[in-house]
Amino acid sequence: MFRLAQRIKFSGLAPSRSVRSLFTADKYPVKRGNYSELNAEDIKYFESFLNSKDLLTDKKDLDAVNVDWMQKYRGQSKLLLKPRSVSEVSKILKHCHDRKLAVVPQGGNTGLVGGSVPVFDEIVISLANLNKIRKFDDVSGTLTVDAGVILQTADEWLRERGYIFPLDLGAKGSCQIGGNVATNAGGLRLLRYGSLHGTVLGIEAVLPNGDIFNGLSTLRKDNTGLDLKQLFIGSEGSIGIITGVSVLCPPKSNSVNVAWLGLDSYEAVQKTFKLAKNALGEILSSFECVDRASMEVVDAALKKHDMEAQQPLESMHPYQILIETSGSNSEHDEQKLNAFLENSMENELVVDGVVAQDEGQIQALWQWREGISESSGKWGGVYKYDVSLPLPVMWDLVKAVENRLIERNLQSKTDSTKPVYATIGYGHIGDGNLHLNVCVREYTKEVEDVLEPFVFEFIAKHNGSVSAEHGVGFQKVHALQYSKDAGALKLIKEVKNMFDPHGIMNPYKFIE
Amino acid sequence: MFRLAQRIKFSGLAPSRSVRSLFTADKYPVKRGNYSELNAEDIKYFESFLNSKDLLTDKKDLDAVNVDWMQKYRGQSKLLLKPRSVSEVSKILKHCHDRKLAVVPQGGNTGLVGGSVPVFDEIVISLANLNKIRKFDDVSGTLTVDAGVILQTADEWLRERGYIFPLDLGAKGSCQIGGNVATNAGGLRLLRYGSLHGTVLGIEAVLPNGDIFNGLSTLRKDNTGLDLKQLFIGSEGSIGIITGVSVLCPPKSNSVNVAWLGLDSYEAVQKTFKLAKNALGEILSSFECVDRASMEVVDAALKKHDMEAQQPLESMHPYQILIETSGSNSEHDEQKLNAFLENSMENELVVDGVVAQDEGQIQALWQWREGISESSGKWGGVYKYDVSLPLPVMWDLVKAVENRLIERNLQSKTDSTKPVYATIGYGHIGDGNLHLNVCVREYTKEVEDVLEPFVFEFIAKHNGSVSAEHGVGFQKVHALQYSKDAGALKLIKEVKNMFDPHGIMNPYKFIE
């Protein structure tokens, strides 16, 4: 019944380094804050304690950190600092605080909302040189790392010791753990291991005034005062710079299974989700759904690059789901998975499917899912919406958006004069998180007017979130009102001001 | 090999309503803050919008809320308010803020650190009348409740719908969910379902100035701004009053197994824990350890009340552990449990054991574990330390304390002129959380001097926490320095002051 999955390769699918070189400050109506300008004295001071190769002012070096991964936002920073210790971070921030110099902390710069690049001339503080694994306890599974450790590095290091990192996401090869925590990254394991608010046990951070917040506990339980570390999780560099993180890591599963299934309707997807929760219970670790348009976009993106890969299923079903189980006993897990698959086919929910037979096939199936994000930018650009919505209405949003674009004659796969190539939906059903991507040939005001505020209003109407896991950054700062009321926003602003009275931390973003 | 467990009854083991009637303010060196005194105008204002039976000034009514469950702390409040809506809570707090009247929020008043009772004449605001289940989504398992809903009520309500509350603890029959969240209760399911920082999805709270913080989201993912609801989790009434909570509830397990095992050494306990994590993996839901002294205390407490119950095991092993598994497939779970038990006995880690054969036996075994807390107060009083420590040194603390008491000739089971009856240790091995109880015939300065600061210094030396799950309250406010550095405490104080500039919220506690 179930065929083998074929391995595909997505390497080389980075976004094309294109013409979108306009400065953020020229593209968007934003005014430089009342910050000091960097001068020779500042540089001299930084040189007094930083290694010369950790202080960079060359255009080439700055070009790389001024632009985000999507090449949508471009800042004009003149200075990149790469401290090698918490004390260096502290000295830098204290000086910037005293001098009122704006800064932007930068991890792997893999964010999707323009949160990690400057808007004007903010000093870029890279955490890349804080990259040591500090300690690990192999009974409790608590890991303590510098903020700049690459997620995949930590995960591989843990796997050799029988554990995994509780977070996994497409950018794992370049994103840094400090950045993951600062943006409260969600990713592919949240359904099973929960959010970072639960798994992060401790945080060390440098406050805007240079003080060091020493909250790097490795205790699972600690009820001694307000849990301030929680504020840093998802703070996007607005109240300090995370320099160290300790996290509770789950044991590596002895047995991992991945199935890719075809379904005819979104109703069947929802029913299958309920069935999976029941039948797979504690071993269900992912339940991802992609629509036909998503799979077509990956297919076309591969062809565009003269690559080809067999689709996981023979037919292009309207909805396809990836189910992953992770457990401690392969025999038990297979029994559970088989019972679930039989049940879902008997109930005519699932109409076709493959189960990965080895690690390579597991990765191949995951690449189909993870490749969507990269593929969707291949026609010139992509409007990305990362939303939380109640399960029943998730794909109503995708359809409503596509209908609006088609009605206004803005979308076509074949007619390259139309700005929109395709409207696709995919996401983490298990977390109530949908990614709506509008793949465009060019960014136009006409398309934007169709999308906004329509998308945000739809979300607000259903009490969803305008940012499920990508964060706010520069992109969503004006959309917060659709997910938070004025009182909550005021309170956030007050807390931000308390921590950062001069407003030097990652300005123009997160909170106005 | 494994015998059946016999059911015992602990009902009636409430702490004896004894002579400890001294006011907290007379027993401890604490000075009334510069708050206004309640006057007739205030009462008149509260009467203007509260139902008359929700405003209580009778001594009898106030006696019940002025004293904590342990009868260790006794306040002198003259007014108990029991609002029935969020808007009533808001009006009360706004008035108290404007008038500078101190308040103490009270849930089920089951706390163990004197956090929920007044110290001087604070107005008691009970959440008992906010007791509705607001809504439930049976696909995602998200439950929204008023703060005053009793934990057990919610859990039973959920069980009928195939779910459970992610938190369980001994006081479940009277504690309230708002109080659980305000104190970041840990309890018996944390090993499996994680802390409330991960499972609580939303909080509605009234701020000290009467503003309503509307953070009652039911989304699993929402990255729109600082996650302020996290501050309320474990805030112990210091920054506002929680009025509503939404929480992610796990599905009820089809299969629950409980085993009670005897071990000869603490080294064997640690090895068995590692073995259990490996062999039971995702179905391990509790790993509790009690020492011989704990079991003897329960036994003696039962006899004291002319009750008797067969100990779970024939011999009084130095360490006994309760292991619970919760899974979706009883056959698989039993196989895993049996393999683990065989392995642990073959390796000579476990020397005796019973496995519960039905729900009644499961509860009976749990009662042995849960009965310790109640039993330990039966000789007059108990010094309770609820600490987080690294696993290897946990029982070093218990032994060190007992040795100090014996060396100073302060402890004896038979000689009733000695202040200390027994020193016992029990706790949640899986969470790194030890309960050290010193059961006393009377509270004496001599014993206190042996215990403190010795216990706190031991904890600080091992980077533990002086309060793992009980919180700070009145009792631990001077011990925070052993678990948090001055910078962190200063920051907590600043956040507290920002939320509560007049300091009316639960004064004399939590943070100085």
Side-chain angles (χ1 to χ4, degrees):
Chain A
M1 166 65 65
F2 289 102
R3 289 175 301 105
L4 303 195
Q6 194 195 7
R7 177 131 198 185
I8 51 169
K9 277 207 186 72
F10 279 95
S11 54
L13 277 198
S16 34
R17 313 296 283 183
S18 74
V19 290
R20 294 194 296 283
S21 59
L22 269 182
F23 288 129
T24 305
D26 296 331
K27 272 163 79 181
Y28 299 91
V30 55
K31 213 171 138 275
R32 187 178 180 280
N34 187 24
Y35 301 105
S36 306
E37 307 240 358
L38 187 74
N39 63 30
E41 288 293 306
D42 297 316
I43 302 274
K44 216 168 129 185
Y45 175 70
F46 292 134
E47 280 172 344
S48 76
F49 61 91
L50 288 174
N51 193 314
S52 64
K53 67 179 176 189
D54 299 336
L55 185 155
L56 301 155
T57 52
D58 279 3
K59 190 175 174 304
K60 197 174 67 54
D61 296 315
L62 285 158
D63 276 354
V65 296
N66 266 319
V67 183
D68 71 315
W69 184 87
M70 301 288 298
Q71 304 208 32
K72 215 166 171 180
Y73 303 97
R74 186 177 298 271
Q76 306 165 54
S77 179
K78 305 276 186 294
L79 180 64
L80 164 64
L81 302 178
K82 302 175 79 174
R84 290 184 181 268
S85 68
V86 180
S87 127
E88 286 183 0
V89 177
S90 165
K91 279 184 183 166
I92 293 169
L93 277 193
K94 183 172 183 345
H95 181 79
C96 293
H97 174 80
D98 292 345
R99 277 270 294 132
K100 230 185 152 188
L101 290 161
V103 306
V104 50
Q106 190 173 88
N109 195 14
T110 60
L112 297 169
V113 289
S116 57
V117 290
V119 174
F120 289 94
D121 57 344
E122 299 93 281
I123 297 170
V124 179
I125 303 177
S126 162
L127 279 301
N129 283 338
L130 278 172
N131 55 10
K132 304 277 182 303
I133 288 176
R134 295 196 197 173
K135 64 177 177 182
F136 180 62
D137 176 331
D138 77 345
V139 175
S140 62
T142 50
L143 174 75
T144 306
V145 295
D146 283 351
V149 170
I150 304 280
L151 177 58
Q152 188 167 317
T153 307
D155 195 58
E156 285 170 1
W157 191 92
L158 285 162
R159 279 175 187 276
E160 287 169 17
R161 287 151 185 87
Y163 285 84
I164 59 169
F165 204 87
L167 172 78
D168 187 24
L169 67 162
K172 58 178 162 267
S174 28
C175 65
Q176 297 172 7
I177 291 172
N180 295 147
V181 174
T183 56
N184 189 27
L188 306 164
R189 289 179 188 155
L190 190 132
L191 176 64
R192 174 66 174 275
Y193 302 112
S195 91
L196 292 172
H197 286 289
T199 52
V200 169
L201 299 176
I203 285 180
E204 173 193 80
V206 178
L207 304 181
N209 67 2
D211 284 356
I212 294 167
F213 170 69
N214 178 15
L216 206 50
S217 164
T218 55
L219 304 171
R220 243 193 122 165
K221 286 178 171 177
D222 178 21
N223 278 352
T224 52
L226 296 175
D227 192 359
L228 294 186
K229 73 163 182 290
Q230 297 288 350
L231 283 182
F232 291 91
I233 302 172
S235 62
E236 302 188 24
S238 66
I239 59 171
I241 296 185
I242 295 173
T243 51
V245 172
S246 59
V247 65
L248 182 70
C249 300
K252 187 172 98 178
S253 296
N254 297 330
S255 146
V256 174
N257 293 297
V258 170
W260 188 283
L261 310 174
L263 296 90
D264 280 339
S265 71
Y266 183 61
E267 209 194 324
V269 172
Q270 295 176 72
K271 284 185 180 161
T272 307
F273 177 52
K274 232 181 142 169
L275 197 67
K277 288 218 302 179
N278 268 317
L280 301 172
E282 61 278 1
I283 64 166
L284 179 63
S285 54
S286 284
F287 193 105
E288 305 277 315
C289 178
V290 308
D291 59 18
R292 173 161 34 202
S294 296
M295 294 304 283
E296 286 170 352
V297 157
V298 181
D299 206 60
L302 288 168
K303 290 199 174 102
K304 227 171 142 73
H305 289 255
D306 294 325
M307 305 196 308
E308 211 158 336
Q310 198 195 337
Q311 289 268 335
L313 304 179
E314 271 165 24
S315 306
M316 274 287 194
H317 301 274
Y319 296 90
Q320 302 187 28
I321 57 180
L322 181 156
I323 286 181
E324 186 192 78
T325 66
S326 309
S328 58
N329 184 309
S330 56
E331 209 178 300
H332 292 171
D333 293 3
E334 271 165 38
Q335 276 179 27
K336 286 188 179 97
L337 182 61
N338 288 338
F340 157 73
L341 291 172
E342 273 165 34
N343 197 337
S344 64
M345 296 186 92
E346 270 166 24
N347 284 295
E348 295 178 357
L349 298 171
V350 168
V351 292
D352 191 15
V354 292
V355 176
Q357 302 298 311
D358 57 36
E359 180 59 30
Q361 292 190 347
I362 285 176
Q363 285 186 24
L365 289 177
W366 267 115
Q367 282 186 302
W368 277 101
R369 164 62 188 83
E370 293 186 67
I372 301 171
S373 175
E374 284 181 46
S375 303
S376 57
K378 297 279 109 193
W379 283 264
V382 54
Y383 292 101
K384 275 179 171 290
Y385 296 94
D386 155 48
V387 311
S388 281
L389 275 174
L391 222 50
V393 302
M394 260 194 184
W395 253 269
D396 290 352
L397 175 62
V398 183
K399 281 177 190 156
V401 166
E402 177 154 48
N403 286 345
R404 283 169 64 86
L405 290 164
I406 289 171
E407 268 167 26
R408 282 158 184 80
N409 208 11
L410 295 168
Q411 174 173 325
S412 166
K413 276 215 173 132
T414 47
D415 180 353
S416 62
T417 66
K418 304 289 180 226
V420 178
Y421 173 77
T423 301
I424 69 176
Y426 59 101
H428 320 287
I429 290 287
D431 315 330
N433 180 190
L434 169 79
H435 296 295
L436 163 69
N437 283 8
V438 179
C439 313
V440 293
R441 297 185 173 92
E442 56 179 331
Y443 295 110
T444 72
K445 177 109 185 35
E446 219 179 345
V447 173
E448 274 158 36
D449 288 346
V450 173
L451 297 176
E452 292 176 25
F454 176 79
V455 171
F456 297 138
E457 284 170 358
F458 185 99
I459 295 163
K461 192 175 133 198
H462 294 283
N463 299 313
S465 170
V466 297
S467 182
E469 60 178 5
H470 291 172
V472 180
F474 183 82
Q475 191 187 337
K476 301 278 174 65
V477 72
H478 299 294
L480 288 186
Q481 55 183 305
Y482 293 99
S483 290
K484 288 264 196 293
D485 70 14
L489 291 175
K490 181 169 158 275
L491 212 51
I492 291 173
K493 184 74 182 168
E494 281 172 23
V495 174
K496 151 83 177 171
N497 291 347
M498 194 206 97
F499 277 84
D500 181 24
H502 296 178
I504 61 165
M505 299 302 304
N506 214 2
Y508 321 110
K509 300 167 197 148
F510 194 60
I511 183 85
E512 288 183 282
Chain B
M1 167 64 65
F2 288 102
R3 288 176 302 105
L4 303 195
Q6 194 196 6
R7 178 130 197 187
I8 50 169
K9 278 206 186 75
F10 278 95
S11 53
L13 278 197
S16 32
R17 313 298 281 184
S18 74
V19 290
R20 294 193 294 285
S21 61
L22 270 182
F23 288 129
T24 306
D26 296 330
K27 273 164 77 181
Y28 299 92
V30 56
K31 214 172 137 275
R32 186 177 181 280
N34 187 24
Y35 301 106
S36 305
E37 307 240 0
L38 187 73
N39 63 28
E41 288 292 305
D42 297 317
I43 302 274
K44 216 167 131 186
Y45 174 71
F46 293 134
E47 281 172 344
S48 77
F49 61 90
L50 288 174
N51 192 314
S52 63
K53 67 178 177 193
D54 299 337
L55 185 154
L56 301 155
T57 53
D58 279 4
K59 190 175 174 304
K60 197 176 67 66
D61 296 316
L62 285 159
D63 276 355
V65 297
N66 266 321
V67 183
D68 71 315
W69 183 87
M70 301 288 298
Q71 304 209 33
K72 214 166 173 180
Y73 303 98
R74 187 176 297 271
Q76 307 165 52
S77 179
K78 305 276 185 294
L79 180 63
L80 164 64
L81 302 178
K82 302 176 79 175
R84 291 187 179 266
S85 69
V86 180
S87 126
E88 286 182 359
V89 177
S90 165
K91 278 184 185 164
I92 292 169
L93 278 193
K94 185 175 182 337
H95 180 79
C96 293
H97 174 81
D98 292 347
R99 276 270 294 133
K100 230 185 152 188
L101 290 162
V103 305
V104 49
Q106 191 173 89
N109 195 14
T110 60
L112 297 169
V113 289
S116 57
V117 288
V119 174
F120 289 93
D121 56 345
E122 300 93 279
I123 297 170
V124 179
I125 304 176
S126 162
L127 278 302
N129 283 336
L130 278 171
N131 55 10
K132 304 275 181 306
I133 289 177
R134 295 196 195 172
K135 64 178 177 179
F136 180 63
D137 177 331
D138 77 343
V139 175
S140 63
T142 50
L143 173 75
T144 306
V145 296
D146 282 351
V149 170
I150 305 280
L151 177 57
Q152 188 167 314
T153 307
D155 195 58
E156 284 169 3
W157 192 92
L158 284 162
R159 280 176 186 277
E160 287 168 18
R161 286 149 184 88
Y163 284 85
I164 58 168
F165 204 87
L167 172 77
D168 187 23
L169 66 162
K172 58 178 163 270
S174 29
C175 65
Q176 297 172 9
I177 291 173
N180 295 146
V181 174
T183 56
N184 190 28
L188 306 163
R189 290 180 188 154
L190 190 132
L191 176 65
R192 175 66 173 277
Y193 301 112
S195 90
L196 292 172
H197 285 289
T199 52
V200 169
L201 300 176
I203 284 180
E204 174 193 79
V206 178
L207 304 181
N209 67 3
D211 284 357
I212 294 166
F213 170 69
N214 177 14
L216 206 50
S217 165
T218 55
L219 303 171
R220 242 195 121 165
K221 287 178 170 178
D222 178 21
N223 277 351
T224 52
L226 297 175
D227 193 356
L228 294 187
K229 75 162 180 289
Q230 298 287 351
L231 284 182
F232 290 91
I233 302 173
S235 63
E236 301 187 24
S238 66
I239 59 171
I241 296 184
I242 295 173
T243 51
V245 172
S246 57
V247 64
L248 183 68
C249 299
K252 187 171 96 178
S253 295
N254 297 329
S255 147
V256 174
N257 293 298
V258 170
W260 188 283
L261 311 174
L263 297 90
D264 280 339
S265 70
Y266 184 60
E267 209 194 325
V269 173
Q270 294 176 73
K271 283 185 180 160
T272 307
F273 178 52
K274 231 181 144 169
L275 198 67
K277 290 218 302 181
N278 269 318
L280 300 172
E282 61 279 0
I283 64 166
L284 180 62
S285 53
S286 284
F287 192 105
E288 304 278 315
C289 179
V290 309
D291 59 19
R292 175 163 28 202
S294 297
M295 294 304 283
E296 286 170 352
V297 157
V298 180
D299 207 59
L302 288 168
K303 290 201 174 104
K304 228 172 142 72
H305 289 257
D306 294 325
M307 306 196 305
E308 210 158 337
Q310 197 194 339
Q311 288 268 334
L313 304 179
E314 272 165 24
S315 305
M316 274 285 194
H317 300 274
Y319 295 91
Q320 302 187 29
I321 58 180
L322 181 156
I323 287 182
E324 186 192 77
T325 65
S326 309
S328 59
N329 183 310
S330 56
E331 207 178 303
H332 292 168
D333 294 2
E334 271 165 37
Q335 275 179 28
K336 286 188 178 98
L337 182 62
N338 288 338
F340 157 73
L341 290 173
E342 274 165 35
N343 199 336
S344 64
M345 296 186 92
E346 271 166 24
N347 283 294
E348 294 179 359
L349 298 171
V350 168
V351 291
D352 190 14
V354 291
V355 176
Q357 302 298 309
D358 57 37
E359 180 58 29
Q361 293 190 347
I362 286 176
Q363 283 186 23
L365 290 176
W366 266 115
Q367 280 185 302
W368 277 101
R369 165 63 189 82
E370 292 186 68
I372 301 172
S373 175
E374 284 181 46
S375 304
S376 56
K378 296 280 111 194
W379 283 264
V382 54
Y383 292 99
K384 275 178 171 291
Y385 297 93
D386 155 50
V387 311
S388 281
L389 276 174
L391 223 48
V393 301
M394 258 194 186
W395 252 269
D396 291 352
L397 176 62
V398 183
K399 282 177 188 155
V401 166
E402 177 154 47
N403 287 343
R404 283 169 64 88
L405 290 165
I406 289 171
E407 269 168 26
R408 281 160 186 78
N409 208 11
L410 294 169
Q411 174 172 326
S412 167
K413 274 213 175 135
T414 47
D415 180 354
S416 62
T417 65
K418 305 290 178 222
V420 178
Y421 173 78
T423 302
I424 69 176
Y426 59 101
H428 320 287
I429 291 286
D431 314 331
N433 180 188
L434 169 79
H435 296 295
L436 163 67
N437 283 9
V438 179
C439 313
V440 293
R441 298 186 173 93
E442 56 178 330
Y443 296 109
T444 72
K445 177 107 185 33
E446 219 179 345
V447 173
E448 274 159 35
D449 287 346
V450 173
L451 297 175
E452 295 178 21
F454 177 78
V455 171
F456 296 138
E457 282 170 358
F458 185 99
I459 295 163
K461 191 175 134 198
H462 295 285
N463 298 312
S465 170
V466 297
S467 182
E469 59 178 6
H470 291 174
V472 181
F474 183 82
Q475 191 187 341
K476 302 279 176 64
V477 71
H478 299 293
L480 289 185
Q481 55 183 305
Y482 294 98
S483 290
K484 289 261 196 295
D485 70 13
L489 291 175
K490 180 168 160 276
L491 213 50
I492 290 174
K493 185 74 182 166
E494 282 172 24
V495 173
K496 150 83 178 173
N497 290 346
M498 194 206 97
F499 277 84
D500 181 24
H502 296 179
I504 61 165
M505 299 302 303
N506 214 3
Y508 321 109
K509 301 171 196 143
F510 193 61
I511 183 86
E512 289 183 283

